[in-house]
Amino acid sequence: MRKLISITILSLFFSISLQTFSCFAQENKIYLDESWQLLQEKGKVQMSALKKTPKALLNTYAVLKLENKDSLFKKNVELRVEALVDDKYLVFEKKITLPVNEEVILQRKLDLGEVDVGVEVLQFKVIDLENP
């Protein structure tokens, strides 16, 4: 029963913090938990992020998911995402071609154990391929 109450309180906290995030447009950092959070959408490409701590392992991972929602065109994506992890900066920097209606998962191993992860999108450029 205590576990259920603590999970309920935790989920309420995250739902409130997500609403607060959407109210303050000048604040561009998102603190991640273990559910997907949409960072940006551009040219039918969605970029989401997740902090994941597998139960059987000590390592924590920051994971980015890029989804091409377009049913006609492949997309070239250039991205630069900065993750603030316990006062240290890590950078995801990739150039990727996303096939039609596909997704790509990018994963970065972080330090051991539970860590506070903030993610900021520095660059997210999407270009259609084969678009007349």
Side-chain angles (χ1 to χ4, degrees), residues 4-5 7 10-11 39 52 63 70 92 102 116 120 129 132:
L4 180 61
I5 291 171
I7 290 171
L10 187 63
S11 64
L39 295 179
K52 179 173 69 172
V63 186
D70 201 330
F92 289 90
E102 293 288 330
D116 193 20
E120 183 174 357
L129 295 178

Side-chain angles (χ1 to χ4, degrees), residues 31-86:
Y31 287 88
L32 302 180
D33 60 12
E34 295 192 25
S35 59
W36 286 107
Q37 296 184 19
L38 181 65
L39 295 179
Q40 276 196 15
E41 183 170 3
K42 199 179 281 183
K44 294 190 178 179
V45 174
Q46 290 183 347
M47 178 168 49
S48 305
L50 168 76
K51 183 188 83 174
K52 179 173 69 172
T53 307
K55 300 288 185 221
L57 302 172
L58 294 175
N59 297 314
T60 298
Y61 297 86
V63 186
L64 295 177
K65 177 170 66 173
L66 300 171
E67 296 178 87
N68 183 0
K69 301 286 191 178
D70 201 330
S71 60
L72 297 175
F73 303 111
K74 293 188 290 185
K75 308 281 185 177
N76 267 354
V77 177
E78 292 179 26
L79 66 93
R80 180 179 165 87
V81 177
E82 191 173 81
L84 174 64
V85 183
D86 291 341

Side-chain angles (χ1 to χ4, degrees), residues 6 9 12-13 18 39 42 68 72 76 107 123 129:
S6 63
I9 291 170
L12 285 174
F13 171 76
L18 289 177
L39 295 179
K42 199 179 281 183
N68 183 0
L72 297 175
N76 267 354
Q107 182 168 281
Q123 176 189 1
L129 295 178

Side-chain angles (χ1 to χ4, degrees), residues 99-114:
V100 173
N101 285 326
E102 293 288 330
E103 67 181 41
V104 169
I105 302 290
L106 303 174
Q107 182 168 281
R108 179 80 180 252
K109 182 178 170 182
L110 305 175
D111 291 335
L112 295 177
E114 291 291 332

Side-chain angles (χ1 to χ4, degrees), residues 56 67 90 94:
E67 296 178 87
L90 300 173
K94 293 287 179 187

